[in-house]
Amino acid sequence: MSVAPTLDYEHRFLGSGARLLAGIDEVGRGAIAGPVTVGIAVVDLSRPVLLDDVRDSKLLKESDRERLEPLVRSWSVASAVGHASASEIDAMGIIAALRTAGTRAWLQILAAGVTPDVVLLDGSHNWLSPETQASLFDDAPAGPGCDAPVHTLVKADMQCLSVAAASILAKVERDRLMRTLHTEFPAFAWNENKGYGTASHKEALRAAGPTPYHRVSWQIL
């Protein structure tokens, strides 16, 4: 079993006056079907409480993720999950779609009456903050977004409990959605591959052609 993530890294932000920290992670970025999904788990750094058994969602069995998901929600000060659909990914590109999904989750947090002071984002690129100037390749709709300071950390989902918790929320909700979509298009076995480009998924795609849930702008064959 991997080393359990802690709140040690998150506590560094207490020195700058932050109290509410939003851990954020995404799932589905590399899939060829289904949405990209962003989870947020907000923690109160002044009341540090660890949560047993939480790991990066990729390291957990599906049954463990399902068991932990309600515990993560009750442990968090606030939590949310946002999606951007395959058609939105096709229309605006994956980075803008990530921002759209993240913004949808962020607005849920604000609507719950919680305003995080700082964000900890898994990875090396801040795809969450609104662009100060839209690029030629970024068609994400203008509007309110995350205005809190965003800090990125590679492999934050492995060492930071807030981000690992967010990864579980995102993974569980996206997997449930893919199982629902599987009932509409069972030939693609989304209940098993969750929209990722397995050999059997691509074989079914060649035989039947793309569905409305495939990212047709990608080279998916």
Side-chain angles (χ1 to χ4, degrees):
M1 178 63 85
S2 63
V3 176
T6 68
L7 291 169
D8 292 351
Y9 191 91
E10 288 93 325
H11 285 156
R12 301 181 186 189
F13 296 100
L14 279 169
S16 61
R19 183 173 70 86
L20 296 179
L21 178 144
I24 300 185
D25 201 9
E26 57 81 16
V27 298
R29 182 172 185 164
I32 64 172
V36 67
T37 301
V38 174
I40 302 180
V42 180
V43 296
D44 185 341
L45 298 177
S46 69
R47 294 188 288 121
V49 177
L50 297 182
L51 188 59
D52 290 340
D53 299 333
V54 168
R55 301 288 190 277
D56 170 24
S57 62
K58 295 186 293 294
L59 302 178
L60 295 170
K61 295 186 297 186
E62 186 170 319
S63 59
D64 288 330
R65 291 193 298 264
E66 292 279 351
R67 174 179 61 84
L68 288 166
E69 188 254 1
L71 300 179
V72 167
R73 288 197 178 275
S74 62
W75 170 81
S76 305
V77 174
S79 61
V81 176
H83 308 279
S85 68
S87 60
E88 288 175 317
I89 294 169
D90 285 336
M92 66 180 69
I94 188 63
I95 297 301
L98 278 166
R99 186 178 307 117
T100 297
T103 298
R104 286 168 177 160
W106 181 259
L107 293 178
Q108 291 176 49
I109 297 292
L110 298 185
V114 174
T115 303
D117 301 306
V118 65
V119 170
L120 182 57
L121 183 66
D122 182 58
S124 59
H125 171 61
N126 174 14
W127 43 256
L128 179 65
S129 297
E131 293 283 273
T132 54
Q133 180 178 353
S135 76
L136 295 174
F137 306 102
D138 189 347
D139 295 324
C146 172
D147 57 0
V150 175
H151 297 262
T152 60
L153 180 66
V154 174
K155 297 191 183 302
D157 50 4
M158 303 288 287
Q159 60 179 300
C160 301
L161 185 57
S162 64
V163 178
S167 78
I168 289 174
L169 296 176
K171 177 68 173 164
V172 168
E173 185 157 326
R174 186 180 185 278
D175 282 1
R176 287 173 181 164
L177 177 59
M178 295 309 296
R179 287 195 295 271
T180 299
L181 296 181
H182 165 75
T183 64
E184 190 175 347
F185 293 98
F188 298 94
W190 290 335
N191 60 323
E192 296 176 357
N193 62 53
K194 307 303 190 291
Y196 285 87
T198 62
S200 60
H201 184 177
K202 290 186 174 182
E203 183 178 343
L205 184 59
R206 282 189 290 270
T211 71
Y213 304 112
H214 279 100
R215 303 175 188 180
V216 294
S217 63
W218 292 20
Q219 293 183 337
I220 58 178
L221 283 176

